[in-house]
Amino acid sequence: MYILGIETSCDETSCAVLKDYQVLSNITISSLKEHKKYGGIVPEIATRAHLENIEKVLNVALGEAHISLEKIHLIAATHRPGLIGALVVGLNFAKALSLALKKPFIGINHLHAHLFAPFLNYKEKLEFPFLGAVVSGGHTEIYRVNDFDSLKLIGQTRDDACGEVYDKVARAFGLGYPGGPIIDRAFKPAYKDDFKFRCGRSGFDLSFSGIKTALIYKKIEMEKKTKLDRNTTLKLLSSFQEAVVEAVVNTVIDAAQELKIKRIVCGGGVIANSYLRQRLKEAENDNFRVLIPPFEYAPDNAAIVAGLGFYLYNKSRAKSPLDLKAEAN
Ligand code: KG4
Ligand code: ZN
């Protein structure tokens, strides 16, 4: 079966073609550059870019997969959560294709799709239950996944999302946007314990806004005495990342242990972070495995949407009505 996936929840316009779980193409154009000067995503710019790019991205994805539109059997598109205007572009495009081609359409929750990333290309065997950790720019959520149509939220951030706090910290240090990859590259293991920062935690809920404030206050306090040199900046950022990674890893591991779950599946843009990936892998032991998606499938992309769409359709012939609404949250 050939599946077309469409993802437009944030700044990435992405289309993918899968043959069952095999990715034939996964094409993404991001409007990130246009947002950079504003230090964050501007919804109107993202929406306009999706409108301009979606047809082009679809054609490149079909071309790379060597397939014509008529051969597609199922269309899966993100309908939540995300920027409402951005979601509407991809969702309506998918509905129009479904209507014109007379092929079933399924709306996908893209947070759940992030958890499908390790299973693409049959890389890992799909077995339930597992503990799902979505760590992205908009969300930080931990689920008990009994199946992809039966997820139970067991923990989440109480304020900023993990990626959001990376972005805000980088902005406060004047380092640019998005902050995650910048702080990832700046991280020096030798400096990670120079300052003591901590993230908030209650049960399996996390809080990242306190560490952001503590770090920024520390920076201001030190700058009152002297201009921060490069090494001190790297020490602050490395200690910040140490605290964030420590909190995410410990929470996920504790949750898996308490729920007696043997597999942890991770997804979302922050899972591209090299230090977080290293620490998650190091945490593996005889009791549980950690499944980390290949780098290319960690951030928002249409292959994960198509993969989950196929899974749900294959399982129960799940479909969505053509009046399915886009939902921001
Ligand atoms: O999943 P994603 O592409 O979009 C959302 O659904 O939010 O995640 C984007 C977020 C941004 O906040 C970005 O700073 C963060 O992922 N990110 C990273 C890294 N690469 C992207 N955070 C930490 N380390 C990275 N290497
Ligand atoms: Zn995402």
mmCIF file of all heavy atoms in Angstrom, residues 7 9-10 12 81 110-111 114 134-139 267-269 298-301 304, ligand 2:
data_model
loop_
_atom_site.group_PDB
_atom_site.id
_atom_site.type_symbol
_atom_site.label_atom_id
_atom_site.label_comp_id
_atom_site.label_asym_id
_atom_site.label_seq_id
_atom_site.Cartn_x
_atom_site.Cartn_y
_atom_site.Cartn_z
ATOM 1 N N GLU A 7 2.538 17.091 6.513
ATOM 2 C CA GLU A 7 2.747 17.699 7.844
ATOM 3 C C GLU A 7 3.000 19.200 7.660
ATOM 4 O O GLU A 7 3.917 19.599 6.926
ATOM 5 C CB GLU A 7 3.949 17.004 8.522
ATOM 6 C CG GLU A 7 4.739 17.826 9.513
ATOM 7 C CD GLU A 7 3.999 18.247 10.774
ATOM 8 O OE1 GLU A 7 3.186 17.476 11.297
ATOM 9 O OE2 GLU A 7 4.246 19.385 11.235
ATOM 10 N N SER A 9 2.359 21.487 10.708
ATOM 11 C CA SER A 9 1.890 22.021 11.996
ATOM 12 C C SER A 9 2.672 23.243 12.472
ATOM 13 O O SER A 9 2.175 24.029 13.256
ATOM 14 C CB SER A 9 1.947 20.934 13.068
ATOM 15 O OG SER A 9 3.282 20.561 13.312
ATOM 16 N N CYS A 10 3.904 23.390 11.982
ATOM 17 C CA CYS A 10 4.709 24.533 12.445
ATOM 18 C C CYS A 10 5.380 25.190 11.243
ATOM 19 O O CYS A 10 4.693 25.666 10.349
ATOM 20 C CB CYS A 10 5.694 24.040 13.501
ATOM 21 S SG CYS A 10 6.461 25.374 14.414
ATOM 22 N N GLU A 12 7.663 23.633 9.151
ATOM 23 C CA GLU A 12 8.081 22.701 8.100
ATOM 24 C C GLU A 12 6.903 22.324 7.206
ATOM 25 O O GLU A 12 5.881 21.860 7.712
ATOM 26 C CB GLU A 12 8.649 21.403 8.694
ATOM 27 C CG GLU A 12 9.975 21.556 9.405
ATOM 28 C CD GLU A 12 9.836 21.784 10.897
ATOM 29 O OE1 GLU A 12 8.683 21.946 11.356
ATOM 30 O OE2 GLU A 12 10.867 21.829 11.585
ATOM 31 N N PRO A 81 -1.514 18.728 17.225
ATOM 32 C CA PRO A 81 -1.683 20.141 17.566
ATOM 33 C C PRO A 81 -0.699 20.975 16.740
ATOM 34 O O PRO A 81 0.177 20.406 16.079
ATOM 35 C CB PRO A 81 -1.303 20.165 19.049
ATOM 36 C CG PRO A 81 -0.325 19.044 19.212
ATOM 37 C CD PRO A 81 -0.615 18.030 18.149
ATOM 38 N N HIS A 110 0.108 14.837 15.639
ATOM 39 C CA HIS A 110 1.529 14.720 15.275
ATOM 40 C C HIS A 110 2.429 14.427 16.473
ATOM 41 O O HIS A 110 3.542 13.932 16.306
ATOM 42 C CB HIS A 110 1.974 15.905 14.399
ATOM 43 C CG HIS A 110 2.870 16.887 15.055
ATOM 44 N ND1 HIS A 110 2.429 18.078 15.548
ATOM 45 C CD2 HIS A 110 4.188 16.844 15.306
ATOM 46 C CE1 HIS A 110 3.441 18.712 16.079
ATOM 47 N NE2 HIS A 110 4.531 18.001 15.947
ATOM 48 N N LEU A 111 1.927 14.627 17.700
ATOM 49 C CA LEU A 111 2.723 14.220 18.869
ATOM 50 C C LEU A 111 2.836 12.698 18.911
ATOM 51 O O LEU A 111 3.902 12.144 19.177
ATOM 52 C CB LEU A 111 2.072 14.714 20.161
ATOM 53 C CG LEU A 111 2.006 16.226 20.340
ATOM 54 C CD1 LEU A 111 1.397 16.555 21.690
ATOM 55 C CD2 LEU A 111 3.393 16.825 20.228
ATOM 56 N N HIS A 114 5.298 11.501 16.360
ATOM 57 C CA HIS A 114 6.716 11.570 16.765
ATOM 58 C C HIS A 114 7.165 10.215 17.340
ATOM 59 O O HIS A 114 8.312 9.816 17.184
ATOM 60 C CB HIS A 114 6.931 12.653 17.826
ATOM 61 C CG HIS A 114 7.182 14.022 17.247
ATOM 62 N ND1 HIS A 114 8.191 14.272 16.340
ATOM 63 C CD2 HIS A 114 6.562 15.213 17.459
ATOM 64 C CE1 HIS A 114 8.180 15.550 16.015
ATOM 65 N NE2 HIS A 114 7.202 16.151 16.673
ATOM 66 N N VAL A 134 7.738 12.481 24.211
ATOM 67 C CA VAL A 134 7.785 13.466 23.125
ATOM 68 C C VAL A 134 8.411 14.734 23.684
ATOM 69 O O VAL A 134 7.870 15.358 24.595
ATOM 70 C CB VAL A 134 6.371 13.790 22.586
ATOM 71 C CG1 VAL A 134 6.463 14.822 21.470
ATOM 72 C CG2 VAL A 134 5.670 12.528 22.098
ATOM 73 N N VAL A 135 9.571 15.082 23.155
ATOM 74 C CA VAL A 135 10.292 16.260 23.661
ATOM 75 C C VAL A 135 10.536 17.184 22.476
ATOM 76 O O VAL A 135 11.423 16.947 21.653
ATOM 77 C CB VAL A 135 11.626 15.846 24.317
ATOM 78 C CG1 VAL A 135 12.193 17.004 25.132
ATOM 79 C CG2 VAL A 135 11.455 14.633 25.222
ATOM 80 N N SER A 136 9.713 18.233 22.385
ATOM 81 C CA SER A 136 9.802 19.082 21.194
ATOM 82 C C SER A 136 9.755 20.558 21.575
ATOM 83 O O SER A 136 9.860 20.913 22.746
ATOM 84 C CB SER A 136 8.668 18.718 20.231
ATOM 85 O OG SER A 136 7.444 19.222 20.718
ATOM 86 N N GLY A 137 9.581 21.396 20.559
ATOM 87 C CA GLY A 137 9.555 22.845 20.799
ATOM 88 C C GLY A 137 8.245 23.291 21.421
ATOM 89 O O GLY A 137 8.190 24.302 22.118
ATOM 90 N N GLY A 138 7.186 22.555 21.171
ATOM 91 C CA GLY A 138 5.874 22.943 21.682
ATOM 92 C C GLY A 138 5.389 22.055 22.821
ATOM 93 O O GLY A 138 4.462 22.426 23.534
ATOM 94 N N HIS A 139 5.998 20.877 22.988
ATOM 95 C CA HIS A 139 5.482 19.908 23.956
ATOM 96 C C HIS A 139 6.585 19.127 24.651
ATOM 97 O O HIS A 139 7.647 18.907 24.078
ATOM 98 C CB HIS A 139 4.547 18.904 23.261
ATOM 99 C CG HIS A 139 3.350 19.562 22.665
ATOM 100 N ND1 HIS A 139 3.393 20.155 21.424
ATOM 101 C CD2 HIS A 139 2.106 19.766 23.154
ATOM 102 C CE1 HIS A 139 2.210 20.696 21.175
ATOM 103 N NE2 HIS A 139 1.419 20.477 22.202
ATOM 104 N N GLY A 267 10.826 10.773 20.821
ATOM 105 C CA GLY A 267 10.637 11.497 19.569
ATOM 106 C C GLY A 267 10.517 12.988 19.832
ATOM 107 O O GLY A 267 10.394 13.418 20.977
ATOM 108 N N GLY A 268 10.570 13.782 18.743
ATOM 109 C CA GLY A 268 10.462 15.236 18.858
ATOM 110 C C GLY A 268 11.798 15.897 18.601
ATOM 111 O O GLY A 268 12.858 15.264 18.734
ATOM 112 N N GLY A 269 11.749 17.177 18.241
ATOM 113 C CA GLY A 269 12.942 17.909 17.816
ATOM 114 C C GLY A 269 14.102 17.853 18.794
ATOM 115 O O GLY A 269 15.263 17.748 18.391
ATOM 116 N N ALA A 298 13.632 12.746 13.815
ATOM 117 C CA ALA A 298 13.318 13.326 15.131
ATOM 118 C C ALA A 298 12.454 14.581 15.020
ATOM 119 O O ALA A 298 11.433 14.684 15.695
ATOM 120 C CB ALA A 298 14.607 13.603 15.918
ATOM 121 N N PRO A 299 12.810 15.559 14.189
ATOM 122 C CA PRO A 299 11.969 16.754 14.119
ATOM 123 C C PRO A 299 10.686 16.516 13.310
ATOM 124 O O PRO A 299 10.465 15.411 12.807
ATOM 125 C CB PRO A 299 12.851 17.791 13.410
ATOM 126 C CG PRO A 299 14.027 17.087 12.912
ATOM 127 C CD PRO A 299 13.975 15.663 13.307
ATOM 128 N N ASP A 300 9.878 17.553 13.165
ATOM 129 C CA ASP A 300 8.630 17.432 12.408
ATOM 130 C C ASP A 300 8.911 17.010 10.973
ATOM 131 O O ASP A 300 9.742 17.627 10.290
ATOM 132 C CB ASP A 300 7.905 18.791 12.398
ATOM 133 C CG ASP A 300 7.376 19.151 13.773
ATOM 134 O OD1 ASP A 300 7.356 18.267 14.651
ATOM 135 O OD2 ASP A 300 6.982 20.313 13.959
ATOM 136 N N ASN A 301 8.234 15.973 10.509
ATOM 137 C CA ASN A 301 8.365 15.529 9.110
ATOM 138 C C ASN A 301 7.155 14.677 8.770
ATOM 139 O O ASN A 301 6.448 14.193 9.667
ATOM 140 C CB ASN A 301 9.679 14.730 8.934
ATOM 141 C CG ASN A 301 9.647 13.399 9.640
ATOM 142 O OD1 ASN A 301 9.233 12.397 9.069
ATOM 143 N ND2 ASN A 301 10.042 13.375 10.920
ATOM 144 N N ILE A 304 6.735 10.367 9.518
ATOM 145 C CA ILE A 304 6.176 9.842 10.779
ATOM 146 C C ILE A 304 4.640 9.900 10.747
ATOM 147 O O ILE A 304 3.968 9.034 11.301
ATOM 148 C CB ILE A 304 6.744 10.583 12.028
ATOM 149 C CG1 ILE A 304 6.524 12.099 11.965
ATOM 150 C CG2 ILE A 304 8.220 10.281 12.211
ATOM 151 C CD1 ILE A 304 6.945 12.861 13.246
HETATM 152 ZN ZN ZN B 2 6.701 18.179 16.552
#
